[in-house]
Amino acid sequence: MNLRTWVDHRARVSTASGDVSYTDVGEGPVALFVHGVGTNNLLWRKVMTALAGERRCIAPDLPGHGGSPVTATQDLSLNGLAARLEDFCESLELRELDLVANDTGGAVAQVFAVRHPGRLRTLTLTNCDTQGNLPPEAFRPVVELAERGELAPLAVQAADPERARTGALGAGYEHPDRVPDEVLEAFVRPVFGTLAAARQFERLLTSVRGEELDAIEPQLNQLRVPTLLVWGTGDPNFGVEWAYRFRDAVPAVTEVVEVPGAKLFFPDERPEDLVPHLRRHWA
């Protein structure tokens, strides 16, 4: 599915906590894909297209990302984002699913998982925030800019594909020069296209707190949902050591799969290094 077709395929649903934009392709048992900050459900388009013949693949946009609106009063904490995901599932009547997540979406997925373990057949985390690494040390200066209100003006000035390619977004790819301009623009325009949007992005970055993952540690330790970690080893934010720390702390982890040299956004860049592991885990 090309980018234009994917964007045109987006739908919107009203939930108890606001409207959510999402893409829904394929038929079969539901697989739900959650992205992180600065991208949107386009991150999953190649993975979902590959799996659409065997799964109903659904990917929502986080608030203020892709086509999902965000309001000034919306709760953008991990707990708030997990509640939004819960409301989304209720609105689409998604009762049982395989949950797959990346980046900040992985932290949201952990909160969702401990709240609704009975709803999950499986959980798969790719490079993402885990306890003790939220925010990642390498990303902390960006969060500090947001806390001072200095990120938004800079981000608006950088809201074009070429600057995105050489900035923090491009750093999530092994080969940022190969990412199409239209993909980068689709990522950055919703979050940085206006100063108002960039201010909401600042608010999201400063609302997501490591203490929220600390609070669910006891429930994660008791989680029984089969959990797979597929981890790029070239990511400076979420080093592979964090995957093994998570495995050692969460008995539900069945396996850590290392993807040599892969960076944060490898589900987009190297879908062939995720899809077979999902199939095996789901089987």
Side-chain angles (χ1 to χ4, degrees):
M1 186 182 299
N2 63 39
L3 179 63
R4 176 43 53 196
T5 302
W6 182 271
V7 172
D8 290 343
H9 217 69
R10 275 198 175 115
R12 183 180 288 195
V13 63
S14 294
T15 79
S17 53
D19 289 355
V20 178
S21 167
Y22 68 100
T23 300
D24 186 341
V25 298
E27 296 181 356
V30 173
L32 185 64
F33 296 82
V34 186
H35 68 87
V37 297
T39 60
N40 56 56
N41 72 26
L42 277 172
L43 180 79
W44 301 109
R45 69 195 184 283
K46 297 175 187 176
V47 171
M48 290 171 59
T49 299
L51 293 167
E54 57 210 85
R55 281 289 193 280
R56 180 186 175 191
C57 298
I58 302 174
D61 290 324
L62 293 181
H65 293 67
S68 287
V70 60
T71 67
T73 59
Q74 193 166 344
D75 184 356
L76 299 180
S77 67
L78 282 184
N79 288 320
L81 295 173
R84 168 63 69 94
L85 192 60
E86 294 160 10
D87 292 340
F88 174 74
C89 289
E90 285 299 315
S91 293
L92 292 188
E93 299 183 348
L94 307 179
R95 302 303 179 202
E96 189 176 20
L97 49 90
D98 298 291
L99 183 57
V100 185
N102 174 259
D103 193 21
T104 319
V108 176
Q110 291 167 55
V111 176
F112 182 94
V114 301
R115 290 181 177 181
H116 301 282
R119 181 173 263 168
L120 299 185
R121 286 186 296 265
T122 65
L123 173 64
T124 301
L125 300 177
T126 62
N127 299 57
C128 67
D129 300 279
T130 53
Q131 187 185 25
N133 194 36
L134 196 176
E137 195 61 36
F139 193 68
R140 192 175 297 277
V142 178
V143 177
E144 291 172 350
L145 279 174
E147 289 171 343
R148 297 195 299 268
E150 297 173 4
L151 177 63
L154 295 174
V156 169
Q157 295 174 18
D160 66 78
E162 196 49 48
R163 292 192 180 185
R165 184 174 283 108
T166 58
L169 185 63
Y173 287 90
E174 286 181 84
H175 304 287
D177 55 304
R178 300 179 189 174
V179 185
D181 283 358
E182 58 183 354
V183 171
L184 292 173
E185 185 163 5
F187 285 159
V188 300
R189 287 298 175 190
V191 289
F192 301 141
T194 67
L195 183 60
R199 289 296 186 199
Q200 293 294 350
F201 183 76
E202 278 186 333
R203 190 165 71 84
L204 190 155
L205 288 186
T206 57
S207 296
V208 171
R209 312 292 295 186
E211 293 84 356
E212 294 177 277
L213 289 184
D214 293 341
I216 65 168
E217 180 182 11
Q219 296 100 305
L220 278 175
N221 292 343
Q222 297 174 26
L223 190 67
R224 294 296 178 262
V225 177
T227 300
L228 171 68
L229 307 181
V230 186
W231 220 264
T233 65
D235 184 354
N237 289 301
F238 306 114
V240 72
E241 69 273 12
W242 292 103
Y244 287 104
R245 291 187 192 186
F246 188 87
R247 179 202 63 182
D248 293 344
V250 180
V253 175
T254 59
E255 185 181 7
V256 177
V257 176
E258 296 187 19
V259 184
K263 291 196 172 183
L264 176 59
F265 301 135
F266 82 88
D268 180 20
E269 193 168 32
R270 295 169 59 172
E272 69 279 4
D273 287 316
L274 177 58
V275 168
H277 301 299
L278 289 175
R279 286 192 174 114
R280 181 167 50 83
H281 186 48
W282 294 343

